[in-house]
Each structure stands twice: as structure tokens, then as C-alpha cells.
Amino acid sequence: MTMDMSGTERIEAPIGAVWQALNDPEILRQAIPGCESLDKTSDTDMTAKIVLKIGPIKAKFEGAVALSNLDPPRSYTISGEGKGGMAGFAKGGADVALEADGEAATILSYNVKAEVGGKIAQLGSRLIDSTAKKLAGEFFSRFAALVAGPAQEDDALSSA
């Protein structure tokens, strides 16, 4: 089962700070819903452990994340593949592009293509799509708060 998702987010931080955060495993770990660990193994490779609940299925995914097509500070492709044991697997990638919006803000655009299989795929496309959109929303609100600084971080965490 495959899905596509795209969107834009305005982040209250300069493009350089957003680019740096997109390449910082600790910021990504804090922003990714259910992420237990994200460890850098090279400049462009990381390993991840993520626990997610999708409908009635709770799965722990372990996998690899790679960055490619790097064009600092404008764009990159992030791709990954995780295995969730009996629950199934997930793999996919996102093309991420940054554009300055004045001196103090950045427009982040993303285009995601993902594939899930196993028991998770049997839950149905509506549940998978709505869960993916919810997780993307959580990621971007946390990410924006972490990049923008303490004032916005408190607001985003209290509304999560």
C-alpha cells in the first residue's frame, strides 16, 4: 500500500537555522513522534527506533535513515526503511525544500512517498492516511517549536 503527501510549513527561524536543525539527529529525535532513538552513523546515515500506534496495532520499528541529494541550505531527500516485526514494514522518502521568507522565517516544502506492508497495510488506506497526516502535523509543530526557540516551544508542547 502506497501513499503520497505534500505540504508547506512556515517556520519562524532563518533558513540557515532550519537547515542545521534538519541535519541535527537530536532535534529530529525530539520532533519525530514515537522516536526512541536516532543515532548518526555517518554524515548522511542514521539508525532509528520508533514506536507507533496505528489503530489497534502498536509496533516498534527499527531501521535506517539516509540523506541524499543534498543542496545546502536549500534542499535534500530523506529516506528510510523500518521493520516492525509482525506488524509489518514501512519505507519511503521525502523531498524537502527550504525557501527564505524574509530574514527571520523559512518556508519548508515537503513531498512524501511512503509504502507500508504487513498487518499495518490491512488496516485500510483511510486509517493509514489519517494517521500519517496526524504524525506529520505533530512532527512539524514540534520541529518548528524546537527551531524557533523556547517561547514557541512552550506553546507547541502545551498544545500537543
Side-chain angles (χ1 to χ4, degrees):
M1 174 181 171
T2 60
M3 69 183 124
D4 295 328
M5 187 171 40
S6 61
T8 58
E9 298 289 331
R10 186 173 192 274
I11 300 172
E12 298 294 332
I15 192 168
V18 175
W19 176 260
Q20 190 173 357
L22 282 172
N23 288 277
D24 183 329
E26 183 55 26
I27 289 179
L28 292 173
R29 184 195 63 75
Q30 291 177 56
I32 297 169
C35 188
E36 293 184 338
S37 69
L38 186 65
D39 300 308
K40 201 168 189 172
T41 56
S42 78
D43 283 347
T44 56
D45 296 295
M46 295 174 256
T47 58
K49 289 183 182 170
I50 299 172
V51 175
L52 290 176
K53 185 165 176 24
I54 303 170
I57 297 175
K58 183 176 179 182
K60 183 174 190 164
F61 290 91
E62 293 190 27
V65 178
L67 306 178
S68 59
N69 302 324
L70 281 87
D71 182 15
R74 289 182 284 282
S75 63
Y76 74 15
T77 299
I78 184 167
S79 53
E81 185 169 352
K83 294 183 180 19
M86 296 291 286
F89 72 89
K91 65 180 177 181
D95 291 317
V96 179
L98 303 178
E99 183 179 327
D101 187 16
E103 288 186 23
T106 303
I107 302 296
L108 183 153
S109 304
Y110 61 92
N111 191 356
V112 177
K113 291 190 184 304
E115 181 181 344
V116 295
K119 284 187 179 178
I120 296 169
Q122 296 170 3
L123 294 172
S125 61
R126 275 211 311 247
L127 179 60
I128 301 277
D129 284 347
S130 66
T131 301
K133 286 182 173 105
K134 177 179 169 255
L135 293 172
E138 286 178 26
F139 170 82
F140 284 112
S141 66
R142 290 179 188 175
F143 181 79
L146 288 163
V147 177
Q152 284 94 342
E153 188 174 330
D154 291 342
D155 293 343
L157 293 175
S158 64
S159 67

